[in-house]
Amino acid sequence: VAHRCKEHDVWTDAVRKVMVALPRPTKWLIHSYEGCGAAEIKRPMPEMLREGLNHLDRIPFDSALPQIAAWLRHIAAHYAKLPPVVVFVPPNVPAASPLLAADGLSGALVAAKDFGAWGRHPTDMPRSMRDDFCAKLWPLVQQGRRSHRPCPERVVGMGPTATAAYYASAQTVRAVPLAV
């Protein structure tokens, strides 16, 4: 699942190479929530053929909304029929990213089957935000993980310059009620 605004489709070629190289046939579909009207423009035949080969589904989306709104829209629209693993990709992931390497996703799934993240430039969440994080977001994390562990003292995330991508199992996503 990606939110993009007229970015080039080179990274979708990389996704196809990864999926075709997997040890067993795997069904995939790229849902690209397109801002800037890109999904509503008629494209030349070679581009449309490329979209077909890459299993790329372009969905019109309001470019004024943040990237995460596209991810949330996708979860809400497909909550009952999510695939076993959903990957959330930002628009600026380069085609040469380790995420798109042949062992990128499969290697990560071995380490953590339910949730994971890729990115550069990890940063600590500012201490001033911890109380709000623990009060508002940590209960959702506990519910998703089915855990009662206390909120951590240190929370690490991806900074604003990171190209962070995430994956989550359908089971993990559905552990948080859709109403949330």
Side-chain angles (χ1 to χ4, degrees), residues 73-161:
R73 176 180 164 191
H74 185 80
I75 290 171
H78 301 278
Y79 190 78
K81 57 181 180 175
L82 290 170
V85 176
V86 183
V87 181
F88 301 95
V89 183
N92 55 353
V93 171
S97 168
L99 164 65
L100 302 175
D103 62 346
L105 180 59
S106 58
L109 287 170
V110 169
K113 294 181 188 323
D114 293 328
F115 179 82
W118 288 271
R120 297 184 187 148
H121 314 294
T123 58
D124 283 307
M125 181 175 64
R127 187 82 182 141
S128 60
M129 295 175 67
R130 185 180 180 278
D131 290 343
D132 277 344
F133 172 82
C134 291
K136 296 175 183 174
L137 293 177
W138 189 249
L140 297 175
V141 172
Q142 288 175 313
Q143 188 173 359
R145 290 182 175 172
R146 296 182 180 105
S147 164
H148 297 289
R149 292 184 359 198
C151 189
E153 288 299 316
R154 179 175 177 235
V155 178
V156 177
M158 300 297 162
T161 60

Side-chain angles (χ1 to χ4, degrees), residues 13 26 36 45 48 52 60 67 73 82 93 96 99 131 133 139 152 159 171:
D13 293 340
T26 304
C36 308
M45 183 57 74
M48 294 180 75
Q67 161 186 310
R73 176 180 164 191
L82 290 170
V93 171
L99 164 65
D131 290 343
F133 172 82
Q171 180 181 358

